Structure formats: C-alpha cells, structure tokens
C-alpha cells in the first residue's frame, strides 16, 4: 500500500466523503475487471458483472470502518470481499438455473456466446476465457488478479494467503498450462 | 513439451523463466499489448482489453482522480456534523434499484464521475457538499486550463448545489472557494448575483494549491502548481510497483546458466514493457 493509498484508506475509514470517492475512483476499475473476468458477459453485455462490482464497492465501503491497517495491502481486503460477492453471484445463478429449469438455459451466463457477444467480444478474449475455465481455481484466481486486475505478485499473495514466491511459481505453472491448452485447441480457432 | 507434455511446466525449475513470466504478467496487468509471437500472451492481452470494454476509467475516473486527490491533500474539514438535512438530489433518487444493487446509469445525475451515486448512498447527508466540492474542483481545473465557458457553467452548477448544503459552516467554506475560482476568470458575463465580490486570496482551507492570488485580469492564467495535466493513474497499482519484483528473484546462484536458456525468451518480454512515465 503506497503512502497515498494508506492515507486515502484511513481518511475514507473515517467517513471522509472526498477520500472515499478518491479511493473508489482508484479501486473501481480493477474491481470491475475482476467481476467481469469471473462472471463474463451475459447476453453480450457485462451488465451483470458490473452490478456485482458495484455491490463489491458498497460492501467494501461498509466494511471500511472495520478495516485495520495491519501492514497488509488494502487490495487483500478488497479482493477477498470481491471473491465472496462473485461466489454469491455464481451460486445465485446456479440456484436460478435449477429453479427455472432447462427452459431458461439460453439466458444463463455459461451459455454459448450470443450474436451480440460475438460482435462485441473478440474471438481471442472468448477463447482465453474458455481456457481459463480449465485451470484450477487457484491458478485461475492468480491469472485474474495478476492480469485482469493488475496486482503485483506480492499483493496477489496477500489476497490468497501465499508468499510472493509461491505466487510466482504458481503463475508460471498456470501460464505453462494455458500454453499447453492453447496448443491443444489450435485447430479449433485458427490463429 | 517435447518429452512429457502433461508435465510441461509443472515444475518451472528455470528461475529465469519464472522471472520472465513475472515480467510478462506485470506488463499484461498494466494493459500493455502483447507481441504477436507469444500466442497465450496475445490471448491474455485481448482478454484484458475486452474486460476494459466500456469501462469509464478513461474519462471520468481519471479526470476526477487528480482533482479529488488534490482536495484530499489540502482539505481541512472543520465540521463533521452527521445529522444535517437528508436531502436527496433530484435525479439521484434513481440511484437505488430493486435488489439492493446500484444503477450505474445514475451517473448522469451529476457532472463528474460514476462514483457519486455510491457516495450519495453511503453519505446522503453530505452528498451536496461533496458534489459541490467536486464541481468546484472541476471548475478550478477548467479555469486553470483557460476553458472559461466550462468554468462558468461549472461554477453555476456549484452555486446551485451549494444552495442545498444545509450546514452553514460548510456552505460558507464552499462559497469562499467558489469566489476564489470565479476570481480566476476574467470579468465577463458573470452574473454577480450569488458571488460575494471577494476574489482576494482568502484562504478557505480547502483547495488553494499554488496560486491564491489568481490573476483576475489575465485571460489565460498560467497553470501553476495546480498540475495542468495530472496523469495520476487510477489503476490499483502505480506503474512503479512491479519493479521491485525483480531483485527478489533469487537468480544469482543460477546466474551463469541463465544466458543460454533465457536468451530466447527475455527479449520479447522486455519489448512488452511500456515506456515508463
């Protein structure tokens, strides 16, 4: 946590609205990308993921007064909240799926890309998202935090309770696995 | 990949490769484009770019950030009354939607950025003063940039919002700031109705970065210390953060082996790095 961010966090924790807005402005893009990376597009749009991202921001603000600076990066605090919210959203989607039955299938997040989605999202992005689903949850989370959010390895380690060195080893394994998977699916989408 | 594809990369024994992967992911995490000859890197870069689709980070967030940060740096908040009037700004009533979520669309309610809805929800009693403060900061920037029409429009908006601020101390401070910013503009068609004609450098305690005695006559007040093009990144990580990663890779012991094995991989990775600001 940089000095400036620590200052923002501490002011925001004291309900300083200006600092809160500044903190949000700084964190929100990463949170949005995190939720989008996990939840994907629904019906071609990121609306659902963005709603969850807003919930994450709100939950973060509500929990902020309880945040104690213990030397851990603030991102650990934020992305644990985000992970919980994303898991909630995924459970809710599953529940809805089981209640609604097969008729609702086309509307679900994991359905085949809609025409809009094909227009909006690039082939490459969708292909990577498919590959990512084949990784282990930890490897997937590392890639999401490192690439989608853009956290350094140290902060990813704080989020996941690993050392930075362990993150670096794991991220190399994840990359290697992605390379293997991409090679296996070369003929699927000719690059 | 040659002998045992299933375990390829399972144990990245080559520390150089780990370091290269770290650099690669750092660059991708900053949104840097990938080189074409690394297929997975290209996929990751495209994916990351797609995640940014339509994200309002480029405009409002970055525009708001420096102004807000400057406010934070210079701010002194005298009053912390929590039970001021709980007024809901007109269009902001649409912020809350069924299901407990937030409407991003409510960003149109005020000039500025999509975060105000959240701030309003969290601090309804202070929403007015926050909006006013932000609008004034924007007006100050506009005035410093010589965008006089924008500045006047923002000042008018700020004056309206300040009218809603119920806490008198806060309102006074905001009005003083408004007068200061107005003093930065050349006298023109400004309706001097709501302006106490005090363009003197009355220290409001709020935002008077570098030039309190702003030139009232100069049509283009030179942007002084007020950060003319502040490119404070709004990303979660400042660009310099990833640099300290490298020294921690315990490469020295294997340093002698590195050149032969790493040479093919390192140059493209280096090419990924964007020019440091």
């Amino acid at each position: 946590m940089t000095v400036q961010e620590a200052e923002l966090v501490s002011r925001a924790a004291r309900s300083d609205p200006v600092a809160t807005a500044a903190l949000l402005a700084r964190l929100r893009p990463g949170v949005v990308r995190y939720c989008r990376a996990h939840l994907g597009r629904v019906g071609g749009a990121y609306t659902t993921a963005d709603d969850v991202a807003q919930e994450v921001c709100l939950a973060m603000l509500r929990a902020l007064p309880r945040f104690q600076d213990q030397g851990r990066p603030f991102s650990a605090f934020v992305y644990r909240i985000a992970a919980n919210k994303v898991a909630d959203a995924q459970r809710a989607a599953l529940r809805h799926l089981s209640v609604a039955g097969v008729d609702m299938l086309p509307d679900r997040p994991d359905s085949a890309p809609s025409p809009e989605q094909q227009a909006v999202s690039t082939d490459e992005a969708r292909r990577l998202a498919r590959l990512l689903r084949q990784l282990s949850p930890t490897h997937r989370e590392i890639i999401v935090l490192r690439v989608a959010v853009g956290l350094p390895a140290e902060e990813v380690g704080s989020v996941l309770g690993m050392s930075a060195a362990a993150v670096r080893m794991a991220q190399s394994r994840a990359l290697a696995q992605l390379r293997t998977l991409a090679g296996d699916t070369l003929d699927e989408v000719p690059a | 990949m040659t002998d045992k594809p299933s375990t390829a990369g399972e144990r990245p024994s080559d520390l150089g490769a780990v370091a290269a992967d770290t650099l690669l992911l750092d660059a991708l995490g900053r949104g840097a484009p990938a080189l074409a000859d690394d297929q997975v890197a290209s996929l990751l870069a495209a994916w990351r770019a797609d995640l940014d689709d339509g994200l309002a980070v480029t405009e409002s967030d970055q525009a708001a950030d420096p102004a807000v940060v400057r406010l934070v740096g210079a701010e002194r908040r005298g009053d912390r009354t929590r039970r001021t009037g709980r007024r809901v700004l007109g269009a902001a009533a649409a912020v809350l939607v069924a299901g407990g979520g937030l409407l991003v669309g409510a960003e149109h309610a005020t000039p500025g950025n999509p975060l105000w809805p959240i701030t309003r929800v969290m601090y309804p009693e202070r929403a007015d003063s926050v909006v006013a403060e932000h609008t004034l900061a924007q007006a100050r920037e506009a005035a410093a940039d010589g965008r006089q029409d924008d500045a006047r429009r923002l000042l008018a908006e700020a004056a309206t919002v300040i009218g809603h601020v119920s806490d008198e101390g806060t309102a006074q401070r905001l009005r003083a700031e408004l007068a200061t910013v107005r003093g930065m503009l050349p006298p023109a068609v400004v309706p001097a109705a709501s302006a106490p004609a005090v363009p003197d450098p009355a220290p409001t305690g709020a935002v008077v970065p570098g030039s309190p005695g702003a030139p009232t006559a100069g049509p283009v007040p030179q942007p002084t210390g007020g950060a003319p093009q502040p490119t404070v990144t709004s990303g979660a990580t400042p660009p310099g953060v990833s640099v300290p990663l490298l020294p921690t890779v315990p490469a020295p012991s294997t340093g002698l082996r590195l050149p032969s094995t790493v040479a093919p991989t390192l140059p493209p990775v280096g090419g990924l790095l964007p020019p440091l600001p």
Side-chain angles (χ1 to χ4, degrees):
Chain A
M1 183 150 60
T2 64
V3 172
Q4 197 188 27
E5 185 172 89
E7 173 71 12
L8 275 183
V9 168
S10 114
R11 280 169 180 264
R14 297 195 304 267
S15 298
D16 180 329
V18 179
T20 303
L23 187 67
L24 276 173
R26 176 178 301 230
L27 292 172
R28 183 173 163 275
V31 170
V32 168
R33 286 196 300 268
Y34 178 89
C35 294
R36 289 176 170 192
H38 276 298
L39 298 172
R41 294 180 187 262
V42 180
Y46 278 131
T47 318
T48 303
D50 290 357
D51 285 348
V52 174
Q54 289 288 50
E55 283 182 30
V56 172
C57 288
L58 274 178
M60 185 265 290
L61 288 181
R62 292 204 180 95
L64 199 51
R66 296 196 300 275
F67 174 76
Q68 309 264 315
D69 188 355
Q70 294 164 331
R72 289 229 309 273
F74 189 63
S75 53
F77 177 70
V78 173
Y79 286 100
R80 281 180 188 172
I81 293 174
N84 283 331
K85 288 289 178 190
V86 164
D88 286 349
Q90 285 166 335
R91 272 195 295 273
L94 278 180
R95 216 166 31 236
H96 189 255
L97 188 66
S98 62
V99 169
V102 186
D103 289 348
M104 294 298 290
L105 267 176
D107 286 335
R108 299 325 307 158
D110 53 351
S111 59
S114 67
E116 291 154 293
Q117 181 171 354
Q118 283 171 352
V120 174
S121 180
T122 66
D123 278 349
E124 287 180 311
R126 278 184 291 122
R127 191 168 156 221
L128 193 278
R130 277 201 303 276
L131 296 180
L132 214 50
R133 283 199 287 271
Q134 302 179 52
L135 296 186
S136 76
T138 303
H139 282 179
R140 185 165 57 237
E141 187 73 357
I142 287 175
I143 295 293
V144 167
L145 289 171
R146 289 285 277 128
V147 176
V149 180
L151 293 184
E154 284 83 357
E155 297 192 17
V156 172
S158 282
V159 176
L160 300 179
M162 305 164 63
S163 72
V167 169
R168 291 196 194 95
M169 296 302 277
Q171 74 193 10
S172 275
R173 281 186 219 110
L175 268 182
Q177 202 179 345
L178 282 177
R179 292 196 166 107
T180 305
L181 291 168
D184 288 347
T185 58
L186 255 185
D187 43 354
E188 183 187 331
V189 180
Chain B
M1 189 123 171
T2 50
D3 45 358
K4 293 207 294 183
S6 63
T7 59
E10 288 294 309
R11 274 172 283 108
S13 55
D14 189 343
L15 289 174
V18 172
D21 286 342
T22 298
L23 278 177
L24 172 66
L25 292 173
D26 284 344
L28 290 170
R30 284 192 296 269
L35 292 183
D37 58 356
D38 186 339
Q39 193 201 9
V40 164
S42 301
L43 292 178
L44 283 166
W47 175 65
R48 154 82 194 220
D50 184 64
L51 295 176
D52 268 329
D53 177 42
L55 193 54
V57 56
T58 47
E59 240 175 75
S60 39
D61 285 356
Q62 276 186 346
D65 209 10
V68 173
V69 165
R70 203 161 63 228
L71 274 173
V72 172
E75 175 200 1
R76 266 192 51 85
R77 195 164 289 274
D79 52 309
R80 296 180 61 87
T81 334
R82 280 211 142 240
R83 48 190 187 89
T84 46
R86 186 170 283 248
R87 175 181 296 102
V88 179
L89 286 177
V95 166
L96 278 172
V97 292
L102 274 176
L103 253 193
V104 190
E107 60 191 294
H108 300 301
T110 53
N113 85 35
L115 304 168
W116 293 124
I118 292 181
T119 307
R120 272 190 221 107
V121 171
M122 298 305 293
Y123 310 98
E125 69 275 16
R126 295 198 194 169
D128 295 324
S129 63
V130 171
V131 170
E133 225 158 334
H134 178 70
T135 311
L136 283 173
Q138 284 183 314
R140 177 180 279 277
E141 266 192 12
D145 290 350
R147 292 180 281 117
Q148 295 169 13
D149 289 346
D150 287 348
R152 292 207 175 83
R153 179 179 53 79
L154 290 163
L155 283 176
E157 283 175 15
T160 306
V161 181
I162 291 174
H164 298 313
V165 174
S166 45
D167 184 88
E168 192 42 43
T170 307
Q172 258 177 12
R173 183 173 56 78
L174 291 168
R175 276 195 294 271
E177 165 70 4
L178 183 125
T180 306
V181 177
R182 188 167 280 159
M184 294 168 66
L185 295 170
V189 285
V190 184
S194 61
V198 194
D200 65 302
T204 62
V207 268
V208 190
S211 61
T216 48
V220 184
Q222 76 280 21
T224 57
Q229 281 296 349
T231 51
V232 175
T233 57
S234 68
T237 55
V241 160
S242 57
V243 176
L245 284 180
L246 281 181
T248 59
V249 175
S253 59
T254 56
L256 287 180
R257 267 189 287 140
L258 285 185
S260 58
T261 51
V262 184
T265 39
L266 273 183
V269 170
L272 272 173
L273 298 173
L276 285 177

